[in-house]
Structure formats: C-alpha cells, structure tokens
Amino acid sequence: MRQVSVLGVGMVKFGRYPDTPVEELGAEAVVGALADAGLAPAAVEAAYCGHVSQGMTLCERVLDRAGLAGIPAVNVENACASSSTALNVAWLAVAAGQHDAVLVLGAEKMRRGLLPLTRLAEGDLEGLLGKTIPALSALFASRYAADYGLTARDLAAVAVKNSRHAAGNPYAQYGRPLTPEEVLASPMISTPLTQLMCCPTSDGAAAAIVVSDALARRHASRAIRIAASHLVGGVCIGTRDVPNATARAARQAYERAGIGPEDVDVAEGLDYTAMAEILLYEDLGLLGKGEGVKAVRDARGGRTGHFVFSPGGGLLGRGHPLGATGVAQVAEIVWQLRGEAGARQVPNARVGLTHAAGGVITGVDDEASVTIHLLSR
Amino acid sequence: MRQVSVLGVGMVKFGRYPDTPVEELGAEAVVGALADAGLAPAAVEAAYCGHVSQGMTLCERVLDRAGLAGIPAVNVENACASSSTALNVAWLAVAAGQHDAVLVLGAEKMRRGLLPLTRLAEGDLEGLLGKTIPALSALFASRYAADYGLTARDLAAVAVKNSRHAAGNPYAQYGRPLTPEEVLASPMISTPLTQLMCCPTSDGAAAAIVVSDALARRHASRAIRIAASHLVGGVCIGTRDVPNATARAARQAYERAGIGPEDVDVAEGLDYTAMAEILLYEDLGLLGKGEGVKAVRDARGGRTGHFVFSPGGGLLGRGHPLGATGVAQVAEIVWQLRGEAGARQVPNARVGLTHAAGGVITGVDDEASVTIHLLSR
C-alpha cells in the first residue's frame, strides 16, 4: 500500500439553507478544496461522496455542478460515518495505486425534527417507546454519574468549551460562546441533557482532495499525511459494558499508524451530546476509564488532559449535517496541523484524530460502523 | 494488484414481497452465497452493499440478520449500478490486499409506480414534461427505426427471447415464455414500447463472495475469475450521438482484461427496455453500429450474433430491483460459466460480461456511472 495524504480541504459554513440545493453546497465545498490543494479540476480522477438521504447519485449531481463531470463516482452511506467511510474507500483507491488524486465529499440537508429511524416502521418496541439518540445518551449519563460522579455542570462545561471553539470557526453553525448558565437553562431534552448539550440540526458540505505520496511531495508544506484510515463494524452505542467498536477501531488504528493515544494533540469525534464527548475521551484511549469527567473539571485553555477535543466546535458547535460531518472533521484537523486554524488554533498540533460512527440504534442490537482517521504532519 | 475471483453466489427469486422485510431478502441471498462458496461466515472480512432507497445502513442490518454482525460494512449507491459499484469497491479491497474474502450484496424493495426522479422537485422542465426512462428509450427507438429500419416486431422479439430465458430461471420474476403477439398487444407505454418491452417493478436481493487468488485456488472448480472490474463516469443515456460512457467503459475493460468483445459468450446488461438491449449490443462493441436489429432478426437459439444476451432473462424477464441487479447479473454469469444454469445453460460459455449504468436522466445533462465486469473461467 502506498502512502496517502490530504492535499486540500474545503467546506461551507454549516447552518440552515432552505433555499440552496444540496448540489450547490457540495459544489462550493469541492471548489474550495480544489483551490486549497492548488489542483486543476482535470487532475481529479474519481470522486467518493458520503450522504444519508439526498436522493440518487448525489456525487454525480455535485460533480456536474462543480464542473467535474465525467469521472468515476461512488456514493457511500454509513449514517453518521458516511463521508468518513467514503474517505476510507478513497484512501484505499489511492493507497492501492488505482488513482493518484481523488475527491472525497460529504453533503447533507437535514429535515426538521427527529431523524426518521429505519426500524420504527417495523414495530420495534424500544424505538416506539422513545429510544432516540439523545435519550440513549441520557441513560449513559445517568450510569456515568452513578459510577464516576458526573454532574449537569460537567456536561455544560463540554458544551461551553465547544461553543468557544465554534465561535473561532467561521464555518461553524454557532458563532457565540455560551455560558454554563445558558446551557443549563436551555430546554430539557432527556434528563440530564439540555438542548444546548445536544448537537443542532444542520445543513452543510465538506470536501477533501486525497493524493498519492508522489503528488504530496510536490506540495510538502500543505500535504497532511493519513497515518491510518480504519473502518470496523460492531456493537457501538448500545451496551457500554462490552468492549465496543470505537475502542477496537482506535486500538487497531493506533497500531497501524505507529502512533499512540498519548501522541494525539487534536481530535474531532462524534460529540452528538456532551456525554458522548466525555465517553469518547475514554473509548478512544485518550484517557482512562472514569477520567473523562475529571479532565473536564481540570480543563485549561480548551485542553482536556493532553489534547484538545472538538477544536472546530465539534458537532455541538459546528453542527452535524450527517453525511458532511466526517470530511468536515478532517478539514478541521488539516487546518489545525497546518497551523491555519486562526482564532481556534491549537499551538504546535502535530497529530490529529477523527472518529465517526454510524448505525441503527433501535432494535435488539446496535450494529454500527466506526471509522478512525489518524493524520500527522 | 492481486487476482480476484467470485467464489460463491446466491439470490432470492425476484418478485413482489410486500410482507417480507428487505433485511430478510438480503440475508437469504447472503446465506445462499456463503453455502455456494463453501465458506464459513467467520471467513468473511468485510461487506459491501448496493441499494438505492432502503434507509440508513442496510448493509449492517442485513449482516445482523444473516449472523455476520461485527465486520466492516460499506453501503454504496449508484442508482441502477449500485451493487455493481459495490462489487467494484469490493474487488479493489481484495485486489489491493486489504481483505482476502468479502461479501458483496444488493437488495431492494421497490415502491409501486414510476421512480421518483430526484430533480423533479427542483423545477426540471424536461422531467415535468415526461422525460421518464421509458419515454427516453422510446425516443431512441424512433431514431434507431429511422436510421436502421427497426420495427415493433423486432422489439417484441427481444422481449420474447428474454422471457424464454427467464422461464428457465428459477430466480426470475416472470416464469412463462411470451409470444410476439402478446408483447405487441400489451398496453402502450411510450410508442413504440409496450408494457412487455419494459422491465417490471421488482423486489429482490443477490449476493456474491469475492476472494483472493490464494483462496480461489483452493476451490478452483467453482471460482470464476474477475478479469476486469471497471467503473467510469460520463454522459450515458441522453445523447446517442456522442461516444458514450458505456462504450468507453467497455473498451477500457476489454483492454485491461486482454479480452475482446468477440470472446464474450454470455452477457447481462441493463435491458430496462427491449430498445436498451439492442443499443447495448452495439455500445458494448459486441456488434457494429446498426447491426443490432439484424442480429435480432437472425437470432438462433437465443444467440444474437456470437453471444447470448440476458441468459438469465435480463431486466425484462428476471426483474429489476434496482440495487440488487448488478450482483444478480454476476450470479447469472457465474452459473453460466460454471455450467450450472440448468434449462437456460449456454453451451460451453467461457467468458461473460455484465454491464450496469445508473444516474440522473432528467435535467440538462445525463450524468451517469457505468460499470463493466468481465468474468472468465
């Protein structure tokens, strides 16, 4: 397998775009990524697009809108891991020598309200009784509180941190730092999670240009190496007490990259709630079991332990257009590792991690796909 | 890149399954493919699932139902080329050495009536005026009739041939040979195409086990070599007068495989109408321009020229559950090349081709993705 790098990234400001076609959001991100990479459209050999519910052949439609019609296109769906899975497939195509320069994108326009969960229509009792994602995360919070003494104020601290990062990110949906009081006073979604401890509903798009080592060397100052691109499947969200797929994916990715969790400076993961972010510190091996809440209390300058989590604002602050999130996370890490992250720059960031997970959480089990990407300069 | 083979295939009888979950159709095909390959479920390292509109993470849901939970899963969508694109990604994963044995599947339950075309909602004038797939194919038929003297009876002959093949295929939706009179007398859909010259609405699933050379050698009598797996993008359906993506894809695939169109014994393509099949003879390079209609008139024993097209009944006879079609085509070719095709067996078939194409056909352009697979024993 060949060495693979990210040469350019682009995204649109996440938010709500009721009057803009999803193809236009996608094309804007693509044009931005090409400009950032300094590549002509003709250099792009294939495209991989992650989305969940944007209709048939979104990739082809975006390529057409962006002036890249006529190249091989693959649409990939893996729920919240859609565009990170697309990146995994794109990485493989370049690593295997099939292509030298490919485009990865993610784009999504979300409906209003709760996500339609696939199995509800088939008489799934847990789903019908309200096993939504925020409710499930609230159950984890209750358990974590019983085990390790988590309080609502700790959860609010995560939301406050991510809002501060988002306020420094021109691409984030939320542009203003929140106070703990505001977070705690926002409407209760599922005790102890208030609205501002849950990610918003968002539209958006993000894109990345992924290239071979030979191409990357010509642009050495801008290329960020993909040290590992790893996809696993398994039980992920439901049962906290079994070794879960996120932990397994992270362990295997660290091993492949020859990078340890202690080396990670910046990380973006699926902080769909403040509780989810704290659990990720531990599942990704960045902190030990039960240490997440202590790290939140001891946090200084956005650092939770030795790393900064959600430097771009995370899902809580940047927003979460499902199919766009995976590539948006990578865009943030690329900016951080290049030192181009402006007001939110983490000093001297050299190693970054992104995590995404997607699956059906209702039903008997919790089958999910998890992706881990390790990036380094 | 390593040599890759198909070791086992399975499918469910295509038809209408209003009371069967799509996961169950998919799982039945998966279990069949594993049994056909003689592999234990534990040998399967990853799964790639093509579907168009079956909700989030169908692959993970089918794996769970089939007892294969916990392996990496990728959902791929490329309209009618969804599961053939999934096969292209799976082929790459094995060819690159990432995996030794993977599962490819396609599954779809179709709604009633015309497909919802993505751009209709966005004020696409051609779509609103009725540029559906049968109407577009009817325009091609009128043009072909003007250029080369095609008659409605020629189109009926294709539908009759495919119904005869389907009648010998226990997995086909249609089980009875049609007469030319029946085909011509069926309701007019878009002149000159009658209902029985258009593919039906279908539910179904198909699966294949794709393996490395080392594994294939242990099962040499059953393994069928993938001589080329090729994906291209481009203008495909709309403009007959420009070199189209199907022709380009076929040319490149023949070159990669070192196989010429004259070597092809059996082929399955997207015969979504009888006209589409005749055009495919020519676009795939199997016959020269304008020779398709002559070959239909001179056909003997199902052979159109030197090859048998749609030996399993094609879309017209086997049915067309969008996401399932690509892998179902490969299943048919595998059975043919192994000599296991029963009543519809083409004697001494050694080289087979499958073609699929998917894209948005309304709007200014006709962006599509096209896959070609060449298989040989």
Side-chain angles (χ1 to χ4, degrees), chain B residues 43-115:
Chain B
V44 176
E45 297 169 16
Y48 304 83
C49 173
H51 75 96
V52 176
S53 60
Q54 305 305 300
M56 284 199 293
T57 61
L58 176 64
C59 194
E60 289 85 335
R61 284 146 51 205
V62 172
L63 290 175
D64 180 47
R65 178 81 65 136
L68 273 82
I71 59 174
V74 178
N75 291 277
V76 172
E77 187 273 323
N78 256 0
C80 299
S82 290
S83 62
S84 58
T85 301
L87 174 58
N88 179 252
V89 175
W91 165 81
L92 176 62
V94 177
Q98 190 185 38
H99 295 299
D100 287 320
V102 302
L103 168 69
V104 184
L105 72 141
E108 201 90 41
K109 285 184 70 174
M110 302 289 291
R111 302 182 214 183
R112 299 185 69 86
L114 276 177
L115 287 177

Side-chain angles (χ1 to χ4, degrees), chain A residues 52 56-57 60-61 64 69-78 92-93 96 98 118-119 231 233 360 365 367 369, chain B residues 52 56-57 60-61 64 69-78 91-93 96 98 118-119 231 233 360 365 367 369:
Chain A
V52 176
M56 284 200 293
T57 61
E60 290 86 333
R61 284 148 50 205
D64 180 49
I71 59 174
V74 178
N75 290 277
V76 171
E77 187 273 322
N78 256 1
L92 176 63
Q98 190 184 39
T118 307
R119 290 193 183 174
L231 168 69
V360 171
D365 44 52
E367 271 304 294
S369 290
Chain B
V52 176
M56 284 199 293
T57 61
E60 289 85 335
R61 284 146 51 205
D64 180 47
I71 59 174
V74 178
N75 291 277
V76 172
E77 187 273 323
N78 256 0
W91 165 81
L92 176 62
Q98 190 185 38
T118 306
R119 290 195 183 175
L231 168 69
V360 171
D365 44 50
E367 271 303 295
S369 290

Side-chain angles (χ1 to χ4, degrees), chain A residues 152-153 156 179-188 192 194-197:
Chain A
R153 190 156 284 272
T179 65
E181 293 66 35
E182 259 179 302
V183 174
L184 291 167
S186 67
M188 186 58 69
T194 67
Q195 191 179 50
L196 292 173
M197 298 174 192

Side-chain angles (χ1 to χ4, degrees), chain A residues 222-238:
Chain A
R222 301 187 64 68
I224 297 296
R225 198 166 64 94
I226 300 179
S229 174
H230 196 50
L231 168 69
V232 309
V235 172
C236 175
I237 309 173

Side-chain angles (χ1 to χ4, degrees), chain A residues 88-153:
Chain A
N88 179 251
V89 174
W91 165 82
L92 176 63
V94 176
Q98 190 184 39
H99 296 299
D100 287 320
V102 302
L103 167 69
V104 185
L105 71 142
E108 201 90 40
K109 285 184 68 174
M110 302 288 292
R111 302 181 214 184
R112 298 185 70 84
L114 275 178
L115 288 176
L117 296 175
T118 307
R119 290 193 183 174
L120 289 186
E122 290 166 27
D124 168 55
L125 190 62
E126 287 187 318
L128 290 168
L129 289 172
K131 190 189 173 193
T132 62
I133 291 181
L136 194 60
S137 196
L139 292 176
F140 298 157
S142 301
R143 173 64 186 264
Y144 195 99
D147 288 349
Y148 306 114
L150 177 88
T151 68
R153 190 156 284 272

